[in-house]
Amino acid sequence: CMRIVVVIPTYNEKGNTLKMIDILADEFAEISHEMLLLYVDGNSPDGTADVVREKMKKYKWLHLIVEKKKRGLGPAYVEGFKYAMKELKADYVMEFDGDFQHRPDEIKKLVNEIDQGYEYIIGSRYIPGGSIPDEWGFMRKFLSVIGNLVARFGLIMPKIHDLTTGFKLSKVKGVLDKVDLDHLYSKSFAYKLHILAQIVNSGARVKEVPIHFMHRTSGESKLIKNEMGESLKVIFLFQIHNPKILKFLKFATVGFLGYVVNASTLWLFTRWMFPGPLAWGFSTELAIINNYILNNFWTFKEVKITGFGRLVFKFFQFNFTSIGALIIQTVFGTLSDIILGVKFRQLALPFIIVLLVLPYNYFM
C-alpha cells in the first residue's frame, strides 16, 4: 500500500474547495492505496484556507499550507511537493487542479498504474480516449494543441503526447526526489515542462493514460494567462543545459567542419582532374580524419583516447564504422557526376551528406 499525496494549489477558490474536498473523500474511499490531500493556498482573501481548516476537523487525511503571499503556480506546487515528501512521507505525489478542470473520478486511473510498476503517470488529453473541452473556442483549442506540439518538438519527446498537462502522478524515491525543485526555470504554468523534462530524461518508467479535460465553469482559467513565451524560455534554458543536446551540438559542429574539409578538398581534387571515385573517396577520408581528431579531443573529451597505439587502433576502428559513409558518398557522388556532371559536385555534396551520410554517421 503506497502513500499518495494529492497536491492542490489554490487562490480564491472557496466555492470549488468546499465541493472538491467532499467529492475527493468519496473517490479516495474507492482506492486501495493510502490517499492524502494537501492544499497549498496563496493566502486567498476569500477565505479558501478557512474552508480547508474547517474540513480538516472531519478528515484526518486533509492537510493545509498557507503561503504568506501568492507567489505563482510553480512555487506553490514546489512547496507542496517538498512538504508532501518531507513531512507527509509520500511515496507518490500527484499534481491536481482544484477547479474541476481535472475530473476527481479519473484520479484512480492514474493511481492504478502504480501497481503496473510505472513511476511517472501522465494524464493525457492527446491520446485516444482523452479530450479537451468542446466549449473551448477554435483559437484556444489551436493554441493548446500548438503549444503542446512546440513542447514535444523543443524537448525532443515525440513519444509523449501531452507535455503541458497539469494532471500527473510522480514516484518520490529515485524520481521526484532527484528533481532540482529549487531551480525551476518558471514560476508560472511552464514549471511543469521543466519538471517533466527532468523526470523523463532521468529514465523513469512513464505511462500516459487518457483524461477528459473539463471546461472551467466559474472563475478565470490559469491557462488563459499562460504565454507561449514562458514555455519557450523553459525549453530553451533546459536544452542549453542538457548534456545530451550539448554533445549533439558539438557532434554537429564537428560534422560541419568535416563538411568544409570535404567540400574544399573535393573542389581541389576536381581542379586537379582526379577521377570521380578517387576525388569523392579521398575528400571523404580527409573529412573522416578531421572528425576523428575533433571528436576525440572535444566532443567526447571525457573519454578521450590517449597513447599512440590506442589512437592508431581507434582511428582504424573509427574508419571501419565510417566505411558506410565513405561508400555512400563515393557511390552517390560518382552517380551524381554521371547524371549531373562534374561541375555540379558542390551542389550534390550537401544533399548527399545531409540526407544520407549524417543520419548514417549519427546512428553508427
Side-chain angles (χ1 to χ4, degrees):
C1 180
M2 296 292 179
R3 173 172 287 190
I4 301 168
V5 178
V6 179
V7 179
I8 300 180
T10 52
Y11 186 76
N12 286 344
E13 295 280 2
K14 182 178 180 179
N16 282 328
T17 300
L18 189 63
K19 293 182 289 185
M20 179 65 77
I21 294 173
D22 288 332
I23 291 174
L24 288 179
D26 293 334
E27 294 298 328
F28 287 177
E30 298 179 5
I31 297 174
S32 59
H33 297 282
E34 181 184 6
M35 303 296 297
L36 281 69
L37 178 59
L38 172 62
Y39 272 90
V40 183
D41 186 64
N43 199 18
S44 301
D46 73 342
T48 299
D50 292 332
V51 170
V52 179
R53 290 189 186 98
E54 187 63 30
K55 291 290 185 180
M56 286 172 67
K57 298 175 183 178
K58 180 179 180 181
Y59 302 116
K60 300 300 181 185
W61 41 258
L62 181 59
H63 301 267
L64 171 68
I65 300 173
V66 179
E67 301 176 291
K68 292 182 180 179
K69 62 178 181 179
K70 183 183 180 185
R71 296 182 296 157
L73 190 63
Y77 266 119
V78 166
E79 187 168 356
F81 292 165
K82 288 181 175 180
Y83 189 88
M85 290 188 287
K86 185 177 180 181
E87 304 298 332
L88 301 181
K89 310 301 180 185
D91 295 306
Y92 279 79
V93 175
M94 177 176 283
E95 299 172 57
F96 191 79
D97 284 351
D99 55 12
F100 289 95
Q101 287 188 291
H102 296 151
R103 287 172 42 167
D105 64 332
E106 291 189 320
I107 288 177
K108 63 174 74 72
K109 292 169 63 174
L110 275 67
V111 172
N112 287 342
E113 298 301 329
I114 291 176
D115 300 326
Q116 307 306 315
Y118 290 102
E119 299 170 312
Y120 193 53
I121 300 107
I122 299 172
S124 178
R125 300 161 293 178
Y126 300 117
I127 61 174
S131 66
I132 54 178
D134 292 333
E135 293 88 349
W136 283 3
F138 170 79
M139 185 54 65
R140 185 166 179 187
K141 289 180 179 178
F142 176 79
L143 290 174
S144 177
V145 172
I146 292 300
N148 185 64
L149 288 175
V150 167
R152 291 178 71 188
F153 178 81
L155 292 174
I156 317 177
M157 294 183 180
K159 292 183 179 180
I160 298 180
H161 301 82
D162 194 346
L163 278 72
T164 55
T165 178
F167 193 0
K168 296 188 290 290
L169 181 60
S170 312
K171 184 179 180 180
V172 171
K173 188 175 181 181
V175 180
L176 188 60
D177 61 1
K178 300 298 182 184
V179 174
D180 187 1
L181 294 172
D182 293 321
H183 298 94
L184 297 180
Y185 296 140
S186 174
K187 292 184 177 180
S188 65
F189 178 85
Y191 80 93
K192 62 186 67 180
L193 285 178
H194 193 181
I195 292 178
L196 180 142
Q198 289 190 62
I199 289 178
V200 173
N201 275 18
S202 72
R205 291 195 65 198
V206 180
K207 176 69 178 291
E208 284 186 278
V209 298
I211 62 165
H212 299 282
F213 194 69
M214 307 304 291
H215 181 61
R216 183 180 169 99
T217 56
S218 63
E220 183 181 4
S221 171
K222 294 183 283 293
L223 282 172
I224 295 175
K225 295 181 178 180
N226 179 48
E227 297 180 0
M228 184 73 75
E230 189 73 10
S231 296
L232 291 174
K233 180 188 79 172
V234 170
I235 293 169
F236 174 76
L237 290 174
F238 180 81
Q239 293 295 40
I240 65 170
H241 292 98
N242 185 349
K244 294 179 181 178
I245 296 299
L246 290 175
K247 185 162 289 186
F248 177 78
L249 290 176
K250 288 182 178 181
F251 180 84
T253 302
V254 170
F256 173 75
L257 294 175
Y259 166 75
V260 172
V261 171
N262 201 165
S264 58
T265 54
L266 181 63
W267 178 78
L268 284 174
F269 293 149
T270 301
R271 291 199 63 183
W272 294 343
M273 304 298 291
F274 274 44
L278 286 179
W280 285 97
F282 284 160
S283 63
T284 304
E285 179 59 29
L286 288 172
I288 289 172
I289 294 171
N290 168 85
N291 291 1
Y292 174 74
I293 293 171
L294 292 181
N295 278 328
N296 185 44
F297 289 97
W298 186 47
T299 309
F300 304 104
K301 64 181 180 179
E302 70 276 6
V303 288
K304 183 171 62 177
I305 303 162
T306 57
F308 180 75
R310 278 183 55 76
L311 276 170
V312 172
F313 172 76
K314 286 292 183 181
F315 172 69
F316 283 107
Q317 189 179 57
F318 184 75
N319 261 274
F320 179 74
T321 60
S322 301
I323 194 73
L326 183 62
I327 293 172
I328 288 169
Q329 192 158 318
T330 302
V331 169
F332 283 91
T334 303
L335 284 174
S336 76
D337 286 351
I338 296 170
I339 297 170
L340 302 174
V342 173
K343 63 180 180 180
F344 287 103
R345 277 180 177 173
Q346 298 301 320
L347 180 63
L349 178 62
F351 285 96
I352 294 171
I353 288 177
V354 172
L355 297 178
L356 301 172
V357 175
L358 183 59
Y360 170 84
N361 279 344
Y362 189 67
F363 172 77
M364 292 302 293

